[in-house]
Amino acid sequence: MSKLSTEQKALYSAITKILWEKWDPIGVNDGDNEWDDEYDNYVPHIFRLALEGNDAIRIACSLTSTVEQIIGLGSDKESDLKVAKLIVQAKQEIIG
């Protein structure tokens, strides 16, 4: 992550926080859990999608695919879209 600009680092951190606090498909964030790295493996792909200017629908599809194919759970497409919109908003606010 050292080759990223200050804005890109801020977006990466924002996505990490959004996935932990708002996405949390397996429900491990109980508010008191200091182990907040559960979804860190998914951040680079979502970060790249956001940087490339993908819209919320494309990012939501990736989140849904991750839940269904990698995590192995049923997805909540409406929730995934809400989270994706937060990611797109963060990208717009931080990078433009």
Side-chain angles (χ1 to χ4, degrees):
M1 198 159 85
S2 62
K3 294 181 183 181
L4 300 178
S5 69
T6 302
E7 292 83 8
Q8 289 171 332
K9 288 178 183 178
L11 177 59
Y12 194 96
S13 294
I15 292 171
T16 300
K17 184 176 180 179
I18 290 167
L19 292 184
W20 175 244
E21 293 180 357
K22 304 296 184 187
W23 186 51
D24 190 26
I26 61 174
V28 294
N29 183 0
D30 62 6
D32 293 325
N33 191 335
E34 64 186 66
W35 301 101
D36 62 356
D37 61 351
E38 182 67 34
Y39 307 114
D40 286 2
N41 288 337
Y42 311 121
V43 175
H45 177 70
I46 299 300
F47 173 73
R48 188 174 68 250
L49 290 176
L51 270 186
E52 291 171 352
N54 285 281
D55 63 12
I57 293 171
R58 172 64 185 94
I59 293 171
C61 286
S62 182
L63 293 171
T64 298
S65 177
T66 297
V67 173
E68 293 175 351
Q69 296 177 14
I70 297 174
I71 297 173
L73 296 174
S75 63
D76 180 345
K77 292 180 182 180
E78 185 176 318
S79 176
D80 292 345
L81 183 57
K82 287 178 185 177
V83 169
K85 287 178 180 178
L86 292 173
I87 292 168
V88 169
Q89 180 181 356
K91 192 256 183 186
Q92 291 171 342
E93 290 173 357
I94 295 168
I95 296 180

